[in-house]
């Protein structure tokens, strides 16, 4: 049985979107053409891959049991076909890497390994959901940022760096003169967040764990603007990874957190079955730098993480 890659790609996109109209849009074809490709694939396989809704708009679509079994190898088939085309034309495209958590400057970590990881092309991710969608659609090859569950199926990740977190607060804050602070000493302060707290997993978990009673959302207009808002109010504070270069903001102080020290976990994320050779190079460069710079040091008696540290889920990128 010979599979048509265009039909398999149509199936994978529809499985990602669970909506025929949106899937067709991502492939730049009509919904009718998409439906025909999937119908031909189902006819070839002799089984239905989707349960279809009856409203004609593509809503109510879900995978059958056969579709769920077919999806992982179907993703690998599409990835292998793309890699074969790249090999045939004799020019390997750059590894497309996206980041999220821009306020915490994720590119400064990638910059330390980029020279050993081959040619990289960066994207413009907004948050973890948008980046995982881009990975599943094949629009990017890898991503870098803080991973937290649940992740969609078909993705794997590897822990790369555990970075100590400092408190940033106004120089007029009652605790500003302290050489270091315990997180629970901030209990009566206002946690200033660059967005709604329920969308910011790390800050949300920190507030729950250390009993921060008052939180307030801001609008993320960049690090300088955000920190200026912190400095303007004596009771406000926020959290910034220790190695993030801070802009010169008058009236702001950064204070280390201890007993325990919160750690921000940076991970490399990729789609299983992605055959781009640069993915292995990037993963290897991250591993080597983590050993050299001691990025993965963790002591549960001294440090705090929202989740226990693991090397990640899934196997080594291949």
């Amino acid at each position: 049985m010979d599979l048509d890659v265009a039909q398999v790609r149509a199936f994978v996109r529809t499985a990602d979107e669970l909506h025929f109209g949106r899937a067709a849009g991502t492939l730049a074809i009509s919904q009718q053409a998409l439906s025909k490709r999937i119908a031909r694939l189902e006819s070839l396989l002799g089984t239905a891959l989707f349960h279809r809704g009856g409203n004609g708009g593509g809503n109510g679509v879900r995978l059958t049991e056969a579709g769920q079994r077919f999806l992982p190898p179907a993703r690998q088939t599409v990835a292998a076909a793309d890699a074969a085309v790249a090999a045939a034309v004799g020019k390997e495209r750059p590894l497309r890497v996206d980041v999220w958590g821009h306020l915490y400057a994720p590119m400064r970590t990638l910059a330390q390994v980029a020279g050993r990881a081959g040619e990289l092309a960066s994207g413009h991710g907004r948050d973890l959901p948008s980046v995982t969608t881009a990975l599943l659609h094949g629009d990017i090859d890898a991503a870098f940022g803080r991973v937290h569950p649940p992740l969609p199926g078909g993705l794997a990740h590897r822990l790369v760096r555990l970075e100590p977190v400092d408190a940033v607060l106004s120089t007029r804050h009652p605790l500003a003169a302290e050489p270091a602070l315990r997180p629970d000493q901030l209990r009566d302060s206002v946690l200033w967040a660059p967005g709604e707290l329920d969308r910011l997993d790390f800050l949300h978990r920190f507030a729950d764990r250390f009993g921060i009673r008052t939180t307030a959302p801001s609008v993320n207009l960049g690090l300088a603007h955000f920190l200026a808002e912190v400095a303007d109010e004596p009771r406000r504070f926020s959290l910034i990874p220790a190695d993030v270069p801070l802009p010169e903001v008058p009236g702001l102080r950064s204070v280390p957190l201890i007993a325990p020290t919160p750690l921000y976990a940076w991970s490399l994320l990729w789609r299983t079955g992605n055959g781009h050779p640069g993915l292995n190079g990037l993963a290897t460069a991250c591993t080597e730098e983590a050993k050299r710079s001691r990025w993965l040091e963790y002591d549960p008696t001294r440090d705090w993480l929202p989740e226990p540290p693991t090397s990640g889920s899934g196997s080594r990128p291949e």
Side-chain angles (χ1 to χ4, degrees), residues 99-113:
V99 297
W100 69 99
H102 293 274
L103 201 70
Y104 293 165
M107 290 304 296
R108 69 197 157 83
T109 295
L110 278 185
Q112 295 187 52
V113 301

Side-chain angles (χ1 to χ4, degrees), residues 34 72 86 96 103 115 123 130 171 205 251 287 309:
L34 178 89
R96 300 164 300 177
L103 201 70
S130 68
T171 53
R205 290 174 182 250
T287 299

Side-chain angles (χ1 to χ4, degrees), residues 92-96 114 117-121 276:
E92 187 62 61
R93 60 170 171 76
L95 186 74
R96 300 164 300 177
E119 187 179 0
L120 304 181
H276 194 295

Side-chain angles (χ1 to χ4, degrees), residues 178-198:
E178 297 293 327
L181 292 169
R182 299 189 317 275
D184 59 10
Q185 288 180 267
L186 296 164
R187 187 168 294 162
D188 296 323
S189 301
V190 178
L191 174 57
W192 196 244
E196 295 295 333
L197 202 63
D198 59 3

Side-chain angles (χ1 to χ4, degrees), residues 82-93:
D82 291 342
V85 171
V89 300
K91 181 180 179 182
E92 187 62 61
R93 60 170 171 76

Side-chain angles (χ1 to χ4, degrees), residues 11 13 20 27 53 64 74 82 85 98 119 140 164 186 192 231 242 259 279 283-284 297 300 303-304 306:
F11 163 75
R13 289 294 177 92
F20 282 89
L27 292 169
T64 64
D82 291 342
V85 171
D98 217 337
E119 187 179 0
I140 57 175
L186 296 164
W192 196 244
L279 188 54
T284 299
E297 286 191 352
D303 304 318
W304 173 78

Side-chain angles (χ1 to χ4, degrees), residues 192-212:
W192 196 244
E196 295 295 333
L197 202 63
D198 59 3
R199 297 181 61 247
L200 301 168
D201 182 79
F202 182 79
L203 294 180
H204 194 176
R205 290 174 182 250
F206 177 89
D208 286 347
R209 168 62 179 81
F210 297 106
I212 308 300

